[in-house]
């Protein structure tokens, strides 16, 4: 299974997964199910009735909801932007985009509202996520022009290795580097290097490649599988790696 623990052959019996480093979490395994709604409070029921309806009533509700989301977005952006060099019109643009995208996401997922909280509490979570994502992308774009294409000297640090341990594992890292350049497609190599070596946020990579999260997860999984196979074949990982 992807993300399973991999036992490597190496000094002091240390267990690491040199091809899973930087893997973006659980790969969105959660299955979206339209749940049965709990008994709704009056305000939440009114919001849903208006947003799931049509005509002037829905238009008014959309305007009200967007205004609420924008207010939250501005407050959240102001709180998070400290020290990120984002202010003034740039920060307002982040807030506006976050409110717009949050509204679209809420409308797409109205059927998933369970009523476990007030509707507005549920809706605010969308805009908070959008603000965080957009500020991350904004900050990364400012830093991106100076990033090194492939700084393999950073790889030991990504595993938390000190200088002595890095020296012991030098051959494996060298083999991994060769595998990245020889065994991966150009797209797989770009994704692996961006996530593992450069720490590029997933949302930024999605935008740079004009792709989506699932497609990037699939490319990264295929790349990790190829790299594991090469490390196993050359004695740097044991046979349990074949299960990954």
């Amino acid at each position: 299974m992807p993300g399973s623990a991999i036992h490597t052959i190496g000094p002091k019996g240390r267990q690491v997964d040199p091809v899973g480093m930087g893997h973006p979490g659980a790969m969105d395994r959660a299955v979206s199910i339209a749940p049965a709604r709990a008994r709704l409070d009056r305000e939440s029921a009114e919001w849903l009735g208006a947003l799931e309806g049509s005509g002037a009533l829905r238009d008014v509700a959309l305007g009200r909801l967007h205004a609420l989301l924008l207010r939250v977005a501005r407050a959240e952006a102001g709180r998070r932007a400290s020290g990120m060099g984002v202010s003034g019109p740039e920060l307002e643009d982040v807030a506006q985009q976050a409110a717009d995208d949050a509204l679209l996401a809420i409308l797409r997922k109205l059927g998933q509202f369970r009523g476990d909280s007030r509707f507005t509490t549920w809706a605010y979570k969308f805009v908070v996520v959008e603000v965080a994502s957009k500020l991350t992308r904004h900050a990364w774009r400012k830093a991106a022009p100076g990033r090194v294409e492939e700084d393999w000297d950073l790889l030991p640090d990504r595993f938390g290795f000190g200088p002595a341990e890095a020296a012991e594992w030098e051959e494996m890292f060298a083999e991994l580097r060769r595998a990245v350049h020889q065994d991966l497609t150009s797209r797989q190599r770009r994704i692996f290097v961006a996530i593992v070596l450069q720490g590029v946020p997933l949302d930024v990579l999605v935008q740079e490649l004009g792709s989506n999260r699932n497609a990037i997860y699939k490319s990264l999984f295929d790349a990790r599988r190829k790299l594991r196979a090469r490390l196993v074949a050359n004695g740097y990982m044991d046979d349990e790696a074949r299960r990954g």
Side-chain angles (χ1 to χ4, degrees):
M1 295 293 293
S4 58
I6 300 302
H7 304 288
T8 62
I9 299 173
K12 303 178 183 177
R14 179 162 183 168
Q15 297 179 4
V16 297
D17 181 356
V19 297
M21 189 64 194
H23 186 271
M27 295 181 67
D28 284 357
R29 290 191 178 99
V31 177
S32 180
I33 300 173
R37 287 173 181 163
R39 185 177 179 84
L40 300 181
D41 63 274
R42 182 177 176 179
E43 182 184 357
S44 296
E46 289 176 351
W47 273 113
L48 286 175
L51 293 172
E52 292 178 335
S54 60
L57 184 63
R58 183 173 187 269
D59 292 341
V60 170
L62 288 173
R64 287 179 57 213
L65 181 56
H66 186 270
L68 291 173
L69 294 173
L70 182 56
R71 185 179 67 190
V72 174
R74 285 170 172 158
E76 185 68 11
R79 184 182 70 83
R80 289 177 176 268
S82 177
M84 297 181 69
V86 185
S87 60
E90 283 185 314
L91 193 60
E92 176 63 18
D93 188 52
V94 167
Q96 290 281 352
Q97 290 183 30
D100 293 347
D101 290 348
L103 181 60
L104 293 176
I106 289 166
L107 294 178
R108 286 196 304 268
K109 297 184 178 181
L110 277 180
Q112 297 180 24
F113 177 62
R114 296 174 53 114
D116 294 333
S117 63
R118 297 174 72 89
F119 175 79
T120 49
T121 301
W122 178 77
Y124 291 162
K125 294 177 182 178
F126 287 85
V127 77
V128 168
V129 169
E130 289 292 343
V131 168
S133 174
K134 284 172 171 50
L135 282 176
T136 297
R137 291 201 298 267
H138 191 91
W140 183 261
R141 287 193 198 101
K142 287 191 171 184
R147 80 182 189 226
V148 178
E149 180 61 24
E150 293 185 17
D151 192 348
W152 286 89
D153 291 337
L154 295 177
L155 192 57
D157 291 338
R158 298 279 283 168
F159 290 100
F161 284 1
E165 290 176 305
E168 290 181 291
W169 289 78
E170 184 176 357
E171 288 187 12
M172 185 188 70
F173 289 135
E175 181 66 17
L176 177 59
R177 181 175 183 174
R178 286 191 291 271
V180 167
H181 286 283
Q182 295 173 8
D183 297 349
L184 302 187
T185 66
S186 59
R187 179 180 175 83
Q188 289 170 345
R189 182 165 56 251
R190 182 175 179 185
I191 290 172
F192 184 85
V193 167
I195 291 177
V196 177
L197 293 185
Q198 299 171 338
V200 177
L202 183 60
D203 287 339
V204 174
L205 194 57
V206 166
Q207 191 171 49
E208 285 184 358
L209 296 179
S211 186
N212 60 67
R213 296 169 69 92
N214 288 338
I216 288 179
Y217 286 151
K218 176 63 165 56
S219 293
L220 183 61
F221 172 71
D222 290 343
R224 293 171 67 230
R225 184 171 55 185
K226 288 181 180 179
L227 297 176
R228 283 193 182 111
R230 172 136 172 183
L231 293 179
V232 169
N234 288 281
Y236 292 99
M237 301 177 74
D238 66 32
D239 289 338
E240 284 191 41
R242 296 188 185 278
R243 302 177 191 174

